[in-house]
Amino acid sequence: MNGQPLSEEQLVDIKVSHPIRPKAPSATSIPAILKSLQDEWDAVMLHSFTLRQQLQTTRQELSHALYQHDAACRVIARLTKEVTAAREALATLKPQAGLVAPQAVPASQPTAAGAGGEPMEISEQVGMTPEIIQKLQDKATILTTERKKRGKTVPEELVRAEDLSKYRQVASHAGLHSASVPGILALDLCPSDTNKVLTGGADKNVVVFDKNEEQIVATLKGHTKKVTSVIFHPSQSVVFSASPDTTIRVWSVTAGNCVQVVRAHEAGVTGLSLHATGDYLLSSSEDQYWAFSDIQTGRVLTKVTDESAGCALTCAQFHPDGLIFGTGTADSQIKIWDLKERTNVANFPGHSGPVTSIAFSENGYYLATGAQDSSLKLWDLRKLKNFKTITLDNNYEVKSLVFDQSGTYLAVGGSDIRVYICKQWSEVLNFTDHSGLVTGVAFGENAQFLTSAGMDRSLKFYSL
């Protein structure tokens, strides 16, 4: 306007919206609008169809992957089972690992034979070395000498019969084993500390219980079937258990775990007894064999069956000296065996029905046996004959027999609890406190108390 030059600062911005491009005149008619809507609808439908196709394909792929996963899981489960079976087989073979193949028995070695000269089938003889036999012999000599000294006098601390007859139930504990599978099937007291009680239950557990503290010291789990036999080691914090799952287990009480599994049998283990040395276990089984095993290594040292009998063994017990032992059979026989020679040296017939329990007296002369014929028989091992039969009530089931440490009293557990005084064989006690079968009885030191366990899942104590 005035002819002067302009600078950029003097210019003013004018803000306007961008022009919208008008639609082509051909799209403004109604037919054109309908066509564009039709095109858009077709595009949406085509997209939807494509998505559905992709979804169906993905579903098929996922289904296929699930089938493959399921098949893989089955294969893994089968392989795991095979590995477990292979490990068990390997564990069974381990006892024989360091042994040479059994060779022909030398002419100088006597052939094992039964009482009537019948041959015995012996396997793994290599394990019974002269050193082991000498060890057994030395221990037996010491024990026999001690017994002769002790046998002349009854311990002064022993509870007298008139006091024993006044015993009453003083405690009952029912929470040791699971209530879902009720029943305590085995009982033992620690020889060095009779306040420690060991029980085996139908719930597959082994329990260590402190009588004074009234509490569980350890619950030991590992068996896959019920526990039918338990034993306390006399000097170590170790316990043993046996089960129809064919295994014998060695447990550490302090650590609370299984330290050794002895696989001596092919069928359920029915009886267990610890040798006086504390180093060896005797076991009997439904597979008709008895076995002698080393508890330190878990090795089976010898395994024997009486082929002429061909019958399951129901129980086993060492004689206090440890050189002979007794087994009971399902066909009502009691067999006495010589451990060193591994031969059947005597048979005691007389019972009818399977033998359920046997017990040697501490004096070394008496053997008590019970069977499913509701009777109790006493045998003299010097004369090899039955000198007393105690007929119990009809249908009385004998489940447990035990002499006290002095050999003065005999306790019977079954339909109830009975205590007899030896030599007179008169009944001094009868308890009917259990609501189920009594499966285990045991005497405290010098018969200061009596304990029992039964199918009612309770552990009971009796004293003055």
Side-chain angles (χ1 to χ4, degrees):
M1 294 193 43
N2 55 13
Q4 295 296 319
L6 277 173
S7 66
E8 195 175 334
E9 288 81 17
Q10 289 175 307
L11 296 174
V12 177
D13 286 340
I14 298 173
K15 293 183 180 177
V16 292
S17 55
H18 295 289
I20 297 167
R21 188 171 183 175
K23 286 189 177 181
S26 62
T28 55
S29 66
I30 289 172
I33 291 169
L34 287 174
K35 184 177 182 307
S36 75
L37 285 173
Q38 181 71 45
D39 290 343
E40 285 182 18
W41 171 258
D42 288 348
V44 168
M45 288 299 103
L46 190 62
H47 184 63
S48 174
F49 174 72
T50 309
L51 284 177
R52 282 185 180 177
Q53 266 190 330
Q54 287 174 349
L55 176 65
Q56 187 64 28
T57 308
T58 308
R59 273 184 174 165
Q60 284 179 339
E61 287 174 357
L62 180 62
S63 175
H64 189 61
L66 284 172
Y67 278 124
Q68 282 184 325
H69 175 265
D70 189 47
C73 285
R74 288 170 189 270
V75 170
I76 290 165
R78 184 169 54 79
L79 290 174
T80 307
K81 193 174 176 182
E82 286 176 7
V83 167
T84 308
R87 278 184 180 154
E88 285 182 359
L90 185 63
T92 311
L93 293 170
K94 269 185 184 174
Q96 305 164 22
L99 308 179
V100 295
Q103 294 162 1
V105 179
S108 59
Q109 185 174 337
T111 307
E118 65 269 35
M120 298 290 156
E121 184 187 324
I122 301 180
S123 60
E124 303 170 44
Q125 284 188 31
V126 196
M128 286 287 277
T129 60
E131 292 80 12
I132 293 172
I133 291 173
Q134 189 59 48
K135 188 176 175 182
L136 302 178
Q137 184 64 58
D138 294 345
K139 186 67 177 178
T141 307
I142 295 165
L143 291 171
T144 308
T145 311
E146 287 177 1
R147 183 168 299 107
K148 282 178 180 170
K149 288 178 188 172
R150 277 204 313 268
K152 293 171 185 173
T153 55
V154 176
E156 289 179 15
E157 303 85 13
L158 185 72
V159 174
R160 291 175 302 171
E162 52 267 33
D163 293 329
L164 189 70
S165 63
K166 297 172 188 170
Y167 275 17
R168 294 291 172 266
Q169 181 181 315
V170 292
S172 179
H173 305 280
L176 277 67
H177 290 270
S178 167
S180 58
V181 190
I184 299 176
L185 305 175
L187 170 75
D188 193 30
L189 288 180
C190 179
S192 56
D193 177 8
T194 51
N195 288 314
K196 296 282 194 303
V197 185
L198 181 65
T199 60
D203 61 354
K204 310 172 190 173
N205 294 346
V206 179
V207 171
V208 183
F209 181 78
D210 190 303
K211 170 178 169 282
N212 285 353
E213 301 289 331
E214 295 195 343
Q215 66 182 24
I216 293 171
V217 177
T219 301
L220 309 167
K221 301 183 178 185
H223 281 291
T224 55
K225 291 186 180 175
K226 61 189 179 182
V227 179
T228 50
S229 305
V230 289
I231 301 177
F232 239 118
H233 195 284
S235 56
Q236 300 171 22
S237 184
V238 169
V239 298
F240 311 94
S241 62
S243 164
D245 66 8
T246 74
T247 65
I248 300 160
R249 289 179 179 266
V250 185
W251 308 86
S252 165
V253 177
T254 45
N257 64 341
C258 179
V259 292
Q260 194 74 257
V261 180
V262 182
R263 300 180 188 277
H265 298 285
E266 302 292 322
V269 184
T270 55
L272 207 57
S273 185
L274 183 65
H275 191 267
T277 55
D279 296 331
Y280 307 104
L281 271 178
L282 169 72
S283 55
S284 61
S285 169
E286 291 171 351
D287 65 4
Q288 305 179 16
Y289 281 85
W290 61 261
F292 184 66
S293 310
D294 186 325
I295 64 170
Q296 300 299 327
T297 61
R299 272 179 47 186
V300 180
L301 300 178
T302 191
K303 204 172 152 186
V304 178
T305 185
D306 182 350
E307 282 192 316
S308 64
C311 189
L313 301 182
T314 55
C315 50
Q317 188 70 42
F318 269 121
H319 182 273
D321 287 345
L323 288 183
I324 63 168
F325 62 90
T327 59
T329 69
D331 65 351
S332 66
Q333 291 281 323
I334 292 104
K335 295 178 178 289
I336 307 297
W337 299 78
D338 181 313
L339 180 59
K340 291 194 296 180
E341 299 296 330
R342 307 187 283 293
T343 55
N344 177 205
V345 292
N347 290 325
F348 292 151
H351 278 294
S352 58
V355 178
T356 53
S357 184
I358 61 175
F360 286 96
S361 170
E362 186 56 33
N363 66 16
Y365 303 139
Y366 297 149
L367 170 66
T369 60
Q372 285 183 12
D373 55 5
S374 302
S375 75
L376 192 60
K377 289 184 182 289
L378 282 306
W379 309 83
D380 189 320
L381 296 173
R382 294 164 294 185
K383 299 174 183 174
L384 298 179
K385 69 174 188 178
N386 171 223
F387 66 88
K388 178 75 178 175
T389 298
I390 301 172
T391 305
L392 304 162
D393 313 335
N394 284 340
N395 302 322
Y396 188 102
E397 293 187 52
V398 180
K399 291 291 182 187
S400 176
L401 290 173
V402 63
F403 286 95
D404 76 301
Q405 287 89 339
S406 68
T408 309
Y409 303 113
L410 171 66
V412 184
S415 303
D416 58 19
I417 301 164
R418 302 179 184 200
V419 177
Y420 296 89
I421 185 162
C422 300
K423 295 186 178 170
Q424 291 94 324
W425 306 110
S426 56
E427 189 179 301
V428 290
L429 260 185
N430 188 320
F431 292 123
T432 55
D433 301 309
H434 282 281
S435 58
L437 271 178
V438 179
T439 52
V441 281
F443 284 101
E445 192 174 5
N446 293 315
Q448 297 288 338
F449 68 88
L450 182 70
T451 182
S452 64
M455 292 305 291
D456 58 359
R457 210 169 51 92
S458 68
L459 175 68
K460 297 184 186 292
F461 295 95
Y462 309 87
S463 67
L464 282 173

